Amino acid sequence: MILIIIITYNSEKWIRQCLNSIQSELLDYSILCIDNNSSDDTVSILKREFESVILISLDNNLGFGKANNIGLKYAIDKSFDFVFLLNQDTWLAKGCLESLRHQYIINDLKGILSPLHLEPSGNNFDYVFESCIRDSLSREILSPFFLKDIQKKPIYKVGFVNGAAWFFSLDVLKKIGGFNPAFFHYGEDNNLGQRLNYHNMSFYIDPTARIFHDCPQVAKRTYQDIRSQAIRDYSDFLIVLSNPKYSFIYNLREVCVILFSDFIKSLLPFRAKAFKRILFISFYIFRNFLIIRSNFYKSLFSGAFIDSNDS
């Protein structure tokens, strides 16, 4: 039995296509939608048009990670065999879920399996997905291609895949735990990937399974203001601080070195925007320091952040 977890927030644009694409799958599954207090018609669409979907409507926006943790705990409590985390702005190609389950079982995987992520047209990889797998697959795919020795594999091991479509077993979930609640919207999948590696497990790609992802296909981040940029960049520093591969003191030292270097660069010559950005990031780290440190040590244990008290 598979539990498909979808976190929704103002997703009326995508939710019908997402859920309809799942319904063609010939497997035993349940769909759990956890809504982060949407202000559009998402909840009413789910209630009116998808009665078989299990819906949890939250009173406030918990963010991607905390909301997913509710679903992950549900998966454990109800003893599902597998979990499939799926973004609200995606939809499945036919047979995607069946292929993921099949490859996970026959290859006896211990880790996270992902389909290929395509942009909506289906003509190219999703930009974020491609940037994640580029280095990992260059040797396994590009080299054989140019050497005229292509041998397609059933699965490919990669360093990391962004969390738009993750398939994994309940045993893996109980080992790596849920998302670190110190993250709100960005970086939580990176950190869970770090903890996957910490527990000696890996990411894999099933090249026969595909999803379409309707997200911006751009390389450069754009921000409304300095504060928005600082919040996004804070998540990048949080990824460094939360990496279980190294000690917390080592991670903290790395962050301090980077911040100090950026601070000096903002002064010579003086750049007001860069200076404000460093101040904002430093403030966020200082304000949340005790939580960041506490969650770092919690993350070292199996099943971290699944219990509601951890979130």
Side-chain angles (χ1 to χ4, degrees):
M1 186 74 166
I2 303 168
L3 180 65
I4 303 171
I5 302 173
I6 303 172
I7 307 305
T8 58
Y9 179 72
N10 293 344
S11 64
E12 63 179 4
K13 176 182 176 182
W14 306 286
I15 196 61
R16 290 186 179 93
Q17 187 170 18
C18 178
L19 292 176
N20 286 332
S21 72
I22 298 171
Q23 292 181 345
S24 65
E25 297 285 343
L26 303 176
L27 288 174
D28 190 9
Y29 64 81
S30 294
I31 302 174
L32 172 62
C33 285
I34 302 172
D35 186 76
N36 264 325
N37 196 29
S38 293
S39 58
D40 65 0
D41 289 333
T42 299
V43 172
S44 62
I45 290 172
L46 289 170
K47 289 180 177 179
R48 184 175 64 251
E49 301 179 26
F50 299 95
E51 294 181 358
S52 63
V53 170
I54 304 164
L55 174 62
I56 298 176
S57 298
L58 303 177
D59 294 331
N60 49 56
N61 188 348
L62 296 183
F64 182 80
K66 282 187 177 182
N68 260 306
N69 286 350
I70 295 173
L72 295 175
K73 188 175 188 302
Y74 184 91
I76 292 176
D77 291 343
K78 300 298 182 180
S79 300
F80 282 84
D81 301 306
F82 299 97
V83 173
F84 186 38
L85 303 185
L86 188 65
N87 272 21
Q88 63 179 5
D89 55 355
T90 65
W91 58 96
L92 309 186
K94 186 176 181 180
C96 174
L97 192 58
E98 296 174 60
S99 181
L100 290 172
R101 181 182 179 276
H102 176 70
Q103 294 297 342
Y104 202 97
I105 292 174
I106 65 170
N107 289 283
D108 193 26
L109 296 184
K110 299 294 187 293
I112 294 175
L113 180 62
S114 171
L116 298 180
H117 303 191
L118 307 180
E119 63 181 25
S121 69
N123 295 324
N124 296 292
F125 283 144
D126 166 67
Y127 176 81
V128 176
F129 174 77
E130 182 180 3
S131 65
C132 288
I133 69 169
R134 186 181 298 123
D135 292 340
S136 297
L137 293 186
S138 61
R139 181 176 294 274
E140 290 196 72
I141 294 181
L142 295 181
S143 296
F145 177 82
F146 286 108
L147 294 173
K148 311 298 182 184
D149 185 28
I150 297 179
Q151 293 183 340
K152 188 174 180 181
K153 299 180 180 180
I155 58 169
Y156 290 88
K157 183 178 179 179
V158 295
F160 176 70
V161 182
N162 54 305
W166 282 358
F167 186 93
F168 49 94
S169 67
L170 202 68
D171 289 338
V172 169
L173 169 60
K174 290 178 179 178
K175 191 69 175 178
I176 64 175
F179 291 97
N180 185 335
F183 294 84
F184 181 75
H185 186 59
Y186 298 106
E188 58 277 284
D189 54 349
N190 298 83
N191 176 249
L192 199 61
Q194 292 170 336
R195 287 156 46 209
L196 185 78
N197 297 148
Y198 176 76
H199 289 291
N200 298 313
M201 291 183 277
S202 303
F203 284 97
Y204 301 90
I205 291 175
D206 176 0
T208 62
R210 302 183 178 194
I211 64 161
F212 304 92
H213 195 182
D214 187 18
C215 67
Q217 303 296 315
V218 295
K220 188 176 181 180
R221 300 172 183 169
T222 56
Y223 304 97
Q224 295 179 339
D225 50 42
I226 294 298
R227 191 184 188 91
S228 298
Q229 180 182 355
I231 292 173
R232 180 62 180 87
D233 291 343
Y234 163 70
S235 296
D236 292 335
F237 283 100
L238 195 53
I239 292 170
V240 177
L241 281 169
S242 303
N243 189 354
K245 182 178 179 179
Y246 308 104
S247 71
F248 184 76
I249 297 300
Y250 177 89
N251 294 340
L252 181 61
R253 184 176 62 194
E254 289 295 299
V255 165
C256 289
V257 168
I258 297 171
L259 284 174
F260 182 74
S261 175
D262 288 351
F263 175 74
I264 296 300
K265 291 176 183 177
S266 72
L267 296 177
L268 302 171
F270 180 70
R271 293 174 294 158
K273 290 184 178 180
F275 180 77
K276 289 181 180 178
R277 168 184 165 272
I278 298 301
L279 289 182
F280 275 128
I281 294 171
S282 300
F283 169 73
Y284 295 141
I285 293 175
F286 177 78
R287 183 184 63 181
N288 299 315
F289 181 79
L290 294 179
I291 294 174
I292 294 170
R293 186 181 63 179
S294 174
N295 284 355
F296 171 85
Y297 290 110
K298 286 181 181 179
S299 74
L300 303 180
F301 296 94
S302 297
F305 310 122
I306 293 297
D307 190 286
S308 59
N309 293 327
D310 290 337
S311 299

